[in-house]
Amino acid sequence: MFTDDAGKGGISAGGPGNSAESNRRSGGDLLQLITPGGERVSHPEFDPWVQDVSDDQLGSLYEDMVVIRRIDTEATALQRQGELALWPPLLGQEASQIGSARALRDDDFVFPSYRDNGVAYCRGVNPEDLVKAWRGNALAGWDPYTVNVATQQIIIGAQTLHATGYAMGIQNDGADSVAVAYFGDGATSEGDVNEALVFAASFQSPVVFFCQNNHWAISEPVRLQSHIQIADRAAGFGIPSMRVDGNDVLAVMAATRIATDRARRGGGPTFIEAVTYRMGPHTTADDPTKYRDANELEDWAAKDPIARLKSLLDRKGLLTAERETAVAAKADAVAKALRSGTINMPEPAPMDIFKHVYSTPHSPLDRQQDHYSRYLASFGDPAEAASEEGAR
């Protein structure tokens, strides 16, 4: 569960990860608070971190996961219908994203990968803004500083360096906010991630490395790229780690709260491995049936994060027919807004390519803009040209 081989847990006495037993324990153990069958299991070290989660909040977490799965399904359909160039599904990873994102403060800053649309949704990104880049209408779908979420990173693992640098800035400012870097298991094989871990450990920066181990880096299985648990790698950098059931929204929330609390109090970075599963393709350009055993998918489908929380709510008598209807209606309304916003999205103007490149005046870019403007003008009025062509 909590691994701190470096002896720098930073957790208050008696807290999670501070006992002698947990300091000796391998990251191979999974923190779990809700079983796949929907049974709430007690854990004396981690229960205190989610004891404030009310029945109503459990219902809200369920709604979040249902909504983001509906967004994912609608975006996949839009891509298949030619409205998006590509889409990276998150099917099966809803608990990892919702549980962690809902554990953050508004002033924390998130550095996501291209698949972390559930995190962006929780931070307030509009559904249609999630698809702007995938439709080719913008380099980024939102202003990072309005929601404290950086633009989604396509270059594998690069966002971990950005998060570490931002966390060092937090230290310089004397603030107690936290930077959170989201990435997949495949990214841990990239140099950028390892460099980020080195810097974060050296400067004890307030950054949380949140790895969603979904078992597949495109067609490469995790067992090929790592012969130990991914969480155990962090000890080599002097960074404590936790390995949690990534399909358990409460366990993920507890782990994230522990890590952010540690960072806020000057304890430095934490590495979280959320063990989950990508039930869909890597992207809509991928066919997982060519490299993945159907039995494996069936096994993980039985651990579905939404079904798990639904079972818990049923056990507690909280998921009434009215509540389910309301959740489904919310999901459909969000999907409808996404579809409408995508299809009716205004096309960017040719000169928009020069926007948001530099934050200050830049003379070489100004020259390029002037040259391109005059080049476009050489064609005359496009509408008039089209009219003349039609007349001929």
Side-chain angles (χ1 to χ4, degrees):
M1 281 166 269
F2 199 99
T3 304
D4 190 3
D5 296 335
K8 296 182 180 179
I11 304 296
S12 59
N18 206 51
S19 66
E21 178 189 357
S22 60
N23 278 343
R24 290 194 302 269
R25 185 177 294 142
S26 165
D29 293 331
L30 274 179
L31 164 61
Q32 186 179 88
L33 298 178
I34 308 174
T35 68
E39 181 183 355
R40 176 70 166 90
V41 291
S42 179
H43 194 294
E45 286 187 284
F46 293 90
D47 282 347
W49 294 93
V50 290
Q51 64 182 358
D52 63 316
V53 178
S54 65
D55 288 345
D56 189 58
Q57 287 173 313
L58 278 176
S60 294
L61 292 171
Y62 174 74
E63 178 183 292
D64 283 339
M65 290 197 289
V66 171
V67 169
I68 192 58
R69 180 169 290 187
R70 185 71 178 83
I71 288 174
D72 197 57
T73 302
E74 194 69 26
T76 299
L78 285 165
Q79 192 280 329
R80 299 306 191 201
Q81 294 160 7
E83 299 294 344
L84 301 177
L86 193 71
W87 179 252
L90 59 81
L91 181 65
Q93 298 180 221
E94 293 87 357
S96 292
Q97 297 192 20
I98 300 302
S100 58
R102 290 303 186 196
L104 304 180
R105 287 190 339 205
D106 288 345
D107 60 339
D108 295 332
F109 211 103
V110 171
F111 293 83
S113 75
Y114 48 81
R115 200 183 305 280
D116 299 310
N117 295 297
V119 178
Y121 170 79
C122 287
R123 301 293 283 179
V125 174
N126 293 324
E128 60 267 27
D129 290 340
L130 294 172
V131 300
K132 278 185 177 177
W134 302 113
R135 189 170 169 83
N137 282 45
L139 295 175
W142 58 84
D143 177 353
Y145 294 103
T146 61
V147 289
N148 277 8
V149 179
T151 55
Q152 291 176 309
Q153 183 59 250
I154 302 296
I155 301 173
I156 305 298
Q159 69 274 20
T160 57
L161 286 170
H162 306 158
T164 300
Y166 190 93
M168 292 169 67
I170 291 173
Q171 285 178 302
N172 291 336
D173 290 342
D176 71 342
S177 54
V178 177
V180 184
Y182 286 87
F183 52 97
D185 49 288
T188 61
S189 297
E190 294 287 342
D192 284 1
V193 174
N194 291 272
E195 290 171 9
L197 292 169
V198 168
F199 268 83
S202 296
F203 292 95
Q204 288 295 282
S205 303
V207 57
V208 175
F209 296 99
F210 193 93
C211 174
Q212 294 175 81
N213 176 2
N214 67 16
H215 285 76
W216 290 95
I218 309 183
S219 59
E220 180 179 290
V222 67
R223 64 181 178 273
L224 179 63
Q225 61 182 317
S226 182
H227 290 267
I228 62 171
Q229 307 293 359
I230 289 177
D232 288 339
R233 287 179 166 184
F237 297 91
I239 296 176
S241 66
M242 285 177 280
R243 192 165 187 263
V244 305
D245 185 337
N247 285 7
D248 177 350
V249 70
L250 272 188
V252 171
M253 178 173 283
T256 308
R257 284 179 167 182
I258 291 168
T260 54
D261 177 74
R262 180 175 183 273
R264 296 188 207 288
R265 294 187 293 104
T270 300
F271 188 104
I272 297 173
E273 178 191 355
V275 181
T276 182
Y277 193 77
R278 166 172 58 81
M279 292 199 288
H282 176 72
T283 70
T284 48
D286 172 44
D287 180 4
T289 63
K290 294 187 179 300
Y291 56 80
R292 189 168 67 186
D293 190 329
N295 292 327
E296 180 180 296
L297 177 59
E298 184 178 349
D299 290 343
W300 277 95
K303 305 173 186 178
D304 185 291
I306 296 180
R308 180 181 307 201
L309 185 54
K310 183 178 186 295
S311 294
L312 176 62
L313 294 173
D314 282 336
R315 284 173 179 268
K316 295 168 72 70
L318 299 173
L319 199 58
T320 63
E322 292 78 13
R323 183 65 186 264
E324 282 203 84
T325 300
V327 169
K330 171 69 177 294
D332 287 342
V334 171
K336 182 178 180 180
L338 170 64
R339 174 168 288 274
S340 176
T342 301
I343 294 173
N344 298 307
M345 194 177 294
E347 296 294 328
M351 298 303 293
D352 286 350
I353 195 173
F354 296 98
K355 291 181 177 179
H356 312 301
V357 179
Y358 292 97
S359 60
T360 57
H362 190 270
S363 56
L365 188 70
D366 291 341
R367 285 196 300 273
Q368 292 178 38
Q369 184 171 352
D370 176 62
H371 291 165
Y372 190 54
S373 176
R374 287 188 281 114
Y375 168 74
L376 292 176
S378 69
F379 293 98
D381 185 345
E384 180 178 336
S387 176
E388 291 178 359
E389 181 66 25
R392 286 195 293 269

